[in-house]
Amino acid sequence: MAEKDEEIVFKKETVGKLLSSSFKDDKTRLSGDAVMLMVEMLKVFVQEAAVRSQKQAESEDCERVDIEHFEKVLPQLLLDF
């Protein structure tokens, strides 16, 4: 990830639909600002997960980040967010 430095992108429409699908009342509305905030939160979360997974892989002298590295950092990551 650090080599390519690609931007993390989430579609606003997709995030909005995912959030709306969890509402129990059909009358509940979601503002555009709330969707944008959630998009930014997802970007930060995914980037932090990638960095922590990379550090975990490095601490185990691995050249590749695998799902096991992500699984090891996930509990602490969820507590931090």
Side-chain angles (χ1 to χ4, degrees):
M1 182 169 170
E3 294 174 7
K4 295 182 182 179
D5 206 21
E6 295 177 11
E7 184 178 344
I8 300 168
V9 179
F10 289 97
K11 292 182 181 179
K12 291 183 286 185
E13 297 81 19
T14 304
V15 173
K17 287 181 182 180
L18 285 171
L19 289 172
S20 295
S21 70
S22 66
F23 295 155
K24 294 181 184 193
D25 186 1
D26 290 336
K27 295 179 183 179
T28 305
R29 297 289 172 235
L30 189 63
S31 73
D33 288 343
V35 173
M36 289 303 296
L37 180 63
M38 193 61 195
V39 166
E40 288 302 314
M41 286 292 298
L42 284 169
K43 285 181 184 179
V44 170
F45 184 83
V46 169
Q47 187 169 12
E48 185 67 21
V51 169
R52 290 186 188 195
S53 298
Q54 182 181 13
K55 287 181 180 179
Q56 180 66 34
E58 288 173 357
S59 73
E60 297 176 9
D61 294 326
C62 294
E63 294 179 10
R64 252 182 57 178
V65 178
D66 291 323
I67 189 67
E68 291 82 17
H69 300 117
F70 173 70
E71 289 171 347
K72 288 178 183 177
V73 300
L74 185 60
Q76 186 63 46
L77 182 66
L78 291 174
L79 286 175
D80 289 345
F81 276 82

